[in-house]
Amino acid sequence: MVIDMESDKRVTDSLQVLGFSKDDLSGFAWTGFSILTLVLVVVMGVLVIVWLERKISAGIQQRIGPGYAGPLGIIQALADGVKLLFKEDIIPSKGDPWLFSIGPAMVIAPVLVGHLVIPFGHSIVLADLGTGVLFWIAASSIAPLGLLMTGYGSNNKYSFLGGLRAAAQSISYEIPLALCVLSISLLSSSLSTVDIVEAQSKYGFWGWNLWRQPIGFVAFLISSLAECERLPFDLPEAEEELVAGYQTEYSGIKFGLFYVASYLNLLASSLFATVFYLGGWNDPLIPLYSALGFGNLSSGMTDGAAEVISAAVGIIVVLAKAYLFLFVTITARWTLPRVRMDQLLDLGWKFLLPIALGNLLLTASFQLLNLSSV
């Protein structure tokens, strides 16, 4: 292997001219690698969710489900994605090509960005922001713009109505969702997702916010289902009256991006529900391990090995809790009937919003009482 010292020196000089050092370059490379790893892991999670949904729905409907593409049909979703990738991309002749093309990216990008602040362990988080909760709320509020753009750029009345429905639904349920999340932040005295998990680790299983915020958890569950446009809240793409809603004119990989964004949003909602209400990476079975004599498994290990095992256990615990939440949402899709649009808006504005606001006020009152008692 021959190292070109002159070329390396030219690269170094160019970095110095731009104001960067070699350490900065290595930092940029590590950040890019971390982002790429997160994207790949999240996309793999989407493939697992699609497979689970098909298998769970098949079980509910007493049929087999996918079983030919790979063992137990595990690569059926990947095969569908490859098929969509090679399909023709058709743009309506009288539509707006810019809005039509940018819309899917506007829908999927904020959902991907929201995964940056999800912690899988104490130090396994891509961006431990002090305002991580507000960052997620702000990022998720951009997606309705993409849905409006797709509906308007398609030059199709069904697509436009679907875009309007999606925007109205998202705005209606983002407010109660944000109020529930702010109640959790107020209870944990922090806007950081890592701090919220650590605040739940003091009393083990009984320290979860699920027991201290049961009303907020139910409101969060309903609001997240509506945000992800899952049944019984899939009004923007109701095939009975809108063909496929804002997706009607799309084909190929752009059509697939909408479904990827939907499942990405569902995965993000499940992970945030785990972080906010289910204790995050904290294992609820630790007292049981101690009672059975397995409490000090890392006692004979080096610090590095113990840290790796602790990180792996944290990731497994987070994913197990998230996929338990996903099982509930998938089961709800195949058991509950679709609501009407007026019922959807009434539920958001007349029921969930007052409940979430009252929950926030009660949480603030108890926090003030605790401060005054101290």
Side-chain angles (χ1 to χ4, degrees):
M1 179 179 179
V2 180
I3 300 176
D4 189 353
M5 301 299 293
E6 186 66 27
S7 176
D8 186 61
K9 184 177 183 300
R10 286 198 299 269
V11 171
T12 304
D13 293 340
S14 301
L15 288 172
Q16 290 176 351
V17 169
L18 295 174
F20 299 111
S21 64
K22 278 190 173 181
D23 293 337
D24 295 331
L25 183 62
S26 62
F28 292 151
W30 177 250
T31 302
F33 173 76
S34 302
I35 293 174
L36 180 62
T37 303
L38 179 65
V39 170
L40 291 177
V41 170
V42 167
V43 171
M44 289 298 296
V46 168
L47 296 179
V48 174
I49 295 173
V50 174
W51 178 78
L52 277 176
E53 178 152 38
R54 287 174 166 173
K55 282 296 185 181
I56 292 172
S57 63
I60 292 174
Q61 298 173 351
Q62 296 183 353
R63 54 187 178 84
I64 299 175
Y68 292 99
L72 300 176
I74 58 176
I75 62 172
Q76 182 62 54
L78 183 62
D80 293 339
V82 172
K83 178 182 72 173
L84 287 173
L85 186 63
F86 290 100
K87 288 242 178 223
E88 183 180 2
D89 180 24
I90 301 174
I91 299 178
S93 59
K94 295 184 179 181
D96 190 314
W98 283 102
L99 294 180
F100 188 84
S101 301
I102 295 174
M106 284 284 292
V107 172
I108 196 172
V111 183
L112 279 174
V113 169
H115 287 79
L116 296 177
V117 295
I118 298 176
F120 293 89
H122 184 272
S123 57
I124 310 176
V125 56
L126 202 57
D128 183 12
L129 302 178
T131 57
V133 171
L134 296 180
F135 176 81
W136 174 55
I137 294 173
S140 62
S141 64
I142 301 175
L145 297 176
L147 299 178
L148 272 177
M149 290 167 61
T150 58
Y152 181 77
S154 298
N155 192 30
N156 181 309
K157 60 182 180 180
Y158 298 108
S159 300
F160 186 54
L161 285 173
L164 290 177
R165 278 187 176 186
Q169 177 172 322
S170 181
I171 293 171
S172 300
Y173 284 87
E174 267 185 8
I175 300 174
L177 185 70
L179 292 176
C180 294
V181 173
L182 290 178
S183 299
I184 292 295
S185 300
L186 191 60
L187 194 64
S188 307
S189 302
S190 177
L191 290 170
S192 169
T193 52
V194 175
D195 293 343
I196 289 173
V197 176
E198 289 181 343
Q200 302 175 67
S201 62
K202 297 178 181 178
Y203 305 104
F205 175 72
W206 300 109
W208 289 1
N209 289 329
L210 173 63
W211 315 119
R212 296 189 287 175
Q213 292 277 313
I215 299 175
F217 176 73
V218 173
F220 183 92
L221 172 62
I222 297 174
S223 300
S224 61
L225 284 177
E227 279 285 302
C228 300
E229 298 173 11
R230 302 279 299 181
L231 269 168
F233 306 112
D234 65 335
L235 272 299
E237 51 188 67
E239 66 273 8
E240 287 89 348
E241 61 261 26
L242 294 182
V243 187
Y246 53 83
Q247 309 170 16
T248 301
E249 298 293 339
Y250 281 87
S251 61
I253 191 60
K254 291 179 183 176
F255 177 78
L257 284 178
F258 286 112
Y259 281 95
V260 172
S262 175
Y263 283 106
L264 278 176
N265 203 3
L266 183 61
L267 178 61
S269 299
S270 302
L271 289 171
F272 276 112
T274 301
V275 169
F276 293 147
Y277 294 98
L278 303 180
W281 64 82
N282 296 312
D283 191 350
L285 301 179
I286 288 179
L288 179 61
Y289 300 152
S290 301
L292 295 176
F294 299 107
N296 296 320
L297 289 177
S298 59
S299 58
M301 302 180 183
T302 62
D303 293 339
E307 187 176 350
V308 170
I309 291 178
S310 176
V313 170
I315 293 174
I316 292 172
V317 169
V318 169
L319 292 179
K321 293 176 181 177
Y323 277 94
L324 177 63
F325 188 86
L326 283 168
F327 176 79
V328 175
T329 59
I330 292 172
T331 306
R333 175 178 180 179
W334 299 99
T335 53
L336 299 177
R338 178 184 293 129
V339 300
R340 298 195 312 265
M341 192 64 193
D342 60 318
Q343 294 172 335
L344 175 78
L345 295 178
D346 285 345
L347 178 65
W349 290 106
K350 297 181 180 179
F351 183 74
L352 281 183
L353 180 59
I355 285 181
L357 186 57
N359 183 58
L360 178 62
L361 293 176
L362 280 176
T363 305
S365 302
F366 283 118
Q367 291 295 98
L368 288 174
L369 288 175
N370 290 334
L371 288 176
S372 61
S373 62
V374 174

